[in-house]
């Protein structure tokens, strides 16, 4: 890609930091009804930069909302969309060192719930969009910032946005990918997220007539369920690889080294390598990269201490390798359990999406943006074990890529946990990152 024009000017880091702090101060957790307030705040920032009322759309959905802001393009080419989410997971103030919803800048960090997930990159995208408008930048492709309001819970708003904007050329998600910094402060690699494992829940259910506990029967719902759970717990799905893991694993292997590095490289070369598979499966950081995983997460059974159980259920949470149908996994679990008394029911919201192709334009733009701050840093195509908004956009045919601007140490990551924080010095380079991506990919 050609060098960015000399007039290109990323947004002011001080202004972006204030947007981040203001975002943290609005507690957008489920049940508090604060997401529309945050959406209105982002609208005010963009309107102050010159966006018209007609450029911004806030759509209430129950207690939450969606947000869309458009920087209109000069052509009728398909738009690119930017993804992020305004909601955050709950935080109990009594467990935190600082109030989770009062942003605190201390020791080079900004503390607060959502600071990392996902208000850092959302704030950077808002700031970048504001700066482009102030400059009078005219993209060829329209750039549409889309923010969901319940990504951490039901993703109802995400589904609505995906359905409305399914005609987009591709999506850039600030809630995926990003740079990893070693404990020595040196960047190790940048992850370009192009796929996610499917999240699916299956409920195992056993029902019996029940009766008095003093009169044991040959069948017992809890015992039958326990036998099924033991089989699921011991089962390992066939290892798999795709374009992302085959390309990305050898790069990561060179960075991490040691036994796990050797195993990753061996698996990339031969996904049937038993020794490599065993090593990877023993490492919680990488076990999810080599195939589908299913684990029991919830168990319920019985109705009284002195009665035979009439019903016993267990939730099986699966993270399914991209490209594998949900029904295929359900059928495999049913065959494994091999007991007609144990029903395997699929959560109706479960559905699969495949990985996105590694588009040369996206890979090139990301490489340019990353190398501007860390020359020669490896760009690693990656697959996430969890789900983001990208999942639903991929389902409707929009290639989606996690291209977060945040670089951080693994030891600084407290997303969903106590004392969540982001480094202040990550702001300026993240702004330059987004500025570079938006200019190059909207040409």
């Amino acid at each position: 890609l050609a060098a960015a024009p000399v007039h290109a000017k990323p947004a002011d880091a001080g202004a972006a930091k204030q947007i981040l702090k203001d975002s943290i101060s609005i507690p957008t957790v489920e049940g508090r009804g604060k997401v529309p307030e945050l959406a209105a705040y982002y609208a005010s920032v963009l309107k102050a930069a010159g966006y018209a009322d007609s450029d911004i759309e806030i759509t209430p959905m129950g207690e939450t909302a969606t947000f869309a802001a458009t920087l209109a393009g000069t052509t009728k080419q398909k738009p690119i969309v930017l993804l992020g989410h305004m909601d955050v997971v709950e935080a109990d103030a009594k467990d935190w060192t600082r109030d989770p919803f009062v942003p605190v800048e201390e020791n080079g960090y900004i503390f607060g719930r959502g600071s990392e997930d996902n208000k850092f990159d959302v704030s950077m995208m808002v700031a970048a969009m504001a700066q482009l408008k102030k400059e009078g930048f005219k993209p060829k492709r329209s750039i549409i910032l889309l923010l969901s309001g319940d990504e951490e819970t039901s993703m109802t708003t995400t589904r609505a946005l995906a359905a409305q904007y399914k005609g987009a050329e591709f999506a850039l998600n600030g809630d995926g990918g990003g740079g990893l910094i070693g404990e020595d402060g040196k960047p190790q690699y940048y992850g370009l997220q192009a796929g996610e494992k499917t999240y699916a829940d299956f409920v195992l259910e056993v029902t019996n007539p029940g009766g008095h506990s003093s009169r044991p029967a040959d069948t017992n719902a809890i015992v039958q369920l326990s036998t099924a759970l033991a089989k699921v717990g011991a089962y390992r799905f066939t290892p798999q690889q795709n374009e992302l893991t085959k390309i990305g694993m050898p790069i990561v292997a060179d960075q991490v080294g040691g036994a796990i590095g050797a195993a990753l490289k061996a698996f990339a070369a031969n996904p049937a390598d038993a020794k490599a598979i065993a090593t990877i499966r023993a490492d919680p950081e990488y076990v999810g990269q080599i195939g589908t995983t299913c684990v029991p997460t919830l168990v319920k059974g019985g109705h009284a201490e002195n009665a035979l159980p009439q019903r016993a259920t267990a939730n099986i949470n699966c993270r399914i390798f991209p490209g594998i149908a949900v029904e295929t996994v359900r059928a495999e679990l049913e065959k494994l359990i091999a007991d007609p008394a144990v029903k395997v029911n699929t959560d109706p919201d479960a559905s699969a999406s495949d990985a996105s192709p590694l588009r040369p334009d996206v890979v090139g733009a990301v490489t340019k943006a990353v190398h501007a701050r860390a020359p020669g840093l490896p760009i690693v195509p990656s697959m996430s074990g969890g789900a983001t908004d990208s999942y639903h956009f991929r389902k409707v045919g929009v290639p989606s890529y996690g291209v977060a601007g945040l670089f951080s140490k693994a030891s600084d990551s407290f997303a969903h946990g106590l004392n969540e924080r982001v480094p202040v010095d990550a702001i300026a380079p993240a702004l330059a990152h987004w500025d570079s991506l938006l200019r190059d990919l909207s040409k």
Side-chain angles (χ1 to χ4, degrees):
L1 291 170
V6 293
H7 66 271
K9 178 185 177 183
D12 175 73
K17 181 168 72 171
Q18 190 59 52
I19 294 172
L20 174 57
K21 287 184 174 181
D22 290 343
S23 300
I24 293 169
S25 70
I26 301 175
T28 51
V29 300
E30 183 182 24
R32 299 200 196 183
K34 291 290 188 177
V35 169
E37 181 181 331
L38 181 58
Y41 168 70
Y42 289 145
S44 72
V45 171
L46 294 178
K47 288 178 183 179
Y51 285 81
D53 288 346
S54 58
D55 295 328
I56 298 171
E57 182 179 2
I58 298 173
T59 304
M61 295 186 69
E63 65 139 8
T64 186
T66 62
F67 177 93
T70 301
L71 182 60
T74 59
T75 71
K76 293 185 178 180
Q77 296 180 75
K78 290 181 178 181
I80 62 174
V81 296
L82 313 182
L83 304 180
H85 62 90
M86 297 177 284
D87 62 313
V88 299
V89 298
E90 184 60 273
D92 192 335
K94 73 176 185 299
D95 295 329
W96 284 55
T97 304
R98 308 158 192 82
D99 189 318
F101 299 109
V102 176
V104 174
E105 185 174 344
E106 186 178 290
N107 299 325
Y109 294 94
I110 295 174
F111 292 83
R113 169 56 85 223
S115 55
E116 178 184 354
D117 187 13
N118 174 230
K119 289 179 176 178
F120 179 89
D121 269 280
V122 166
S123 298
M124 300 307 110
M125 289 188 286
V126 170
M129 290 281 283
Q131 177 62 30
L132 292 175
K133 189 69 172 181
K134 288 177 184 177
E135 260 187 43
F137 177 72
K138 301 292 184 182
K140 289 183 179 179
R141 293 184 185 275
S142 292
I143 304 172
I144 307 175
L145 173 62
L146 301 177
L147 303 178
S148 61
D150 59 354
E151 189 269 353
E152 297 289 7
T153 52
S154 67
M155 288 193 175
T156 301
T157 57
T158 309
R159 292 185 182 90
L161 288 173
Q164 185 175 355
Y165 294 93
K166 62 184 178 182
E169 178 70 13
F170 57 81
L172 302 177
N173 193 344
D175 188 28
L180 177 65
I181 297 176
E183 293 306 312
D184 59 0
K186 296 179 181 179
Q188 293 185 324
Y189 62 84
Y190 181 88
L192 168 58
Q193 186 228 67
E196 296 166 291
K197 297 177 78 175
T198 298
Y199 180 110
D201 286 312
F202 300 92
V203 177
L204 307 187
E205 180 182 27
V206 184
T207 57
N208 289 166
H212 200 287
S213 61
S214 66
R215 302 175 64 187
D218 290 336
T219 58
N220 182 296
I222 291 176
V223 174
Q224 291 171 291
L225 180 64
S226 299
T227 301
L229 290 176
K231 292 179 180 179
V232 173
Y235 189 63
R236 300 294 179 267
F237 286 79
T238 302
Q240 293 177 268
Q241 65 178 197
N242 57 19
E243 179 188 26
L244 303 181
T245 59
K246 191 170 185 177
I247 295 173
M249 277 187 177
I251 302 174
V252 173
D254 289 337
Q255 301 300 312
V256 300
I260 188 63
L264 292 171
K265 189 166 291 188
F267 182 84
N270 175 19
D273 187 313
K275 182 179 178 182
I277 292 168
T279 301
I280 295 171
R281 280 180 171 161
D283 190 315
E285 184 69 24
Y286 299 103
V287 61
Q289 295 294 306
I290 63 170
T292 296
T293 60
C294 290
V295 294
T297 55
L298 290 171
V299 176
K300 298 178 182 178
H303 58 282
E305 293 180 355
N306 59 350
L308 299 177
Q310 295 175 350
R311 185 170 184 264
T313 64
N315 189 81
I316 306 298
N317 180 246
C318 296
R319 306 303 174 111
I320 303 172
F321 203 79
I324 303 301
V326 173
E327 173 56 24
T328 298
V329 176
R330 191 207 67 79
E332 191 164 347
L333 288 173
E334 187 173 71
K335 182 178 179 181
L336 166 70
I337 293 168
D339 183 350
V342 182
K343 296 180 180 179
V344 184
N345 304 310
T346 306
D347 185 312
D349 287 335
S351 54
S353 68
D354 208 343
S356 298
L358 293 173
R359 290 177 57 128
D361 54 350
V362 173
V363 174
V366 169
T367 300
K368 175 185 167 184
V370 170
H371 286 177
R373 65 201 288 188
L377 191 70
I379 309 297
V380 182
S382 65
M383 177 182 70
S384 295
T388 69
D389 290 323
S390 290
Y391 169 74
H392 289 286
F393 278 79
R394 291 192 186 100
K395 277 178 58 181
V396 297
V398 179
S400 301
Y401 305 92
V403 294
L406 179 63
F407 275 51
S408 62
K409 300 176 182 178
S411 59
D412 281 340
S413 182
F414 294 95
H416 291 206
L418 296 176
N419 304 312
E420 187 177 356
R421 67 190 189 186
V422 289
V424 175
D425 63 9
I427 293 174
L431 289 170
H433 176 91
W434 280 108
D435 184 82
S436 179
L437 290 179
L438 298 187
R439 291 178 192 276
D440 285 338
L441 290 171
S442 62
K443 290 178 179 177

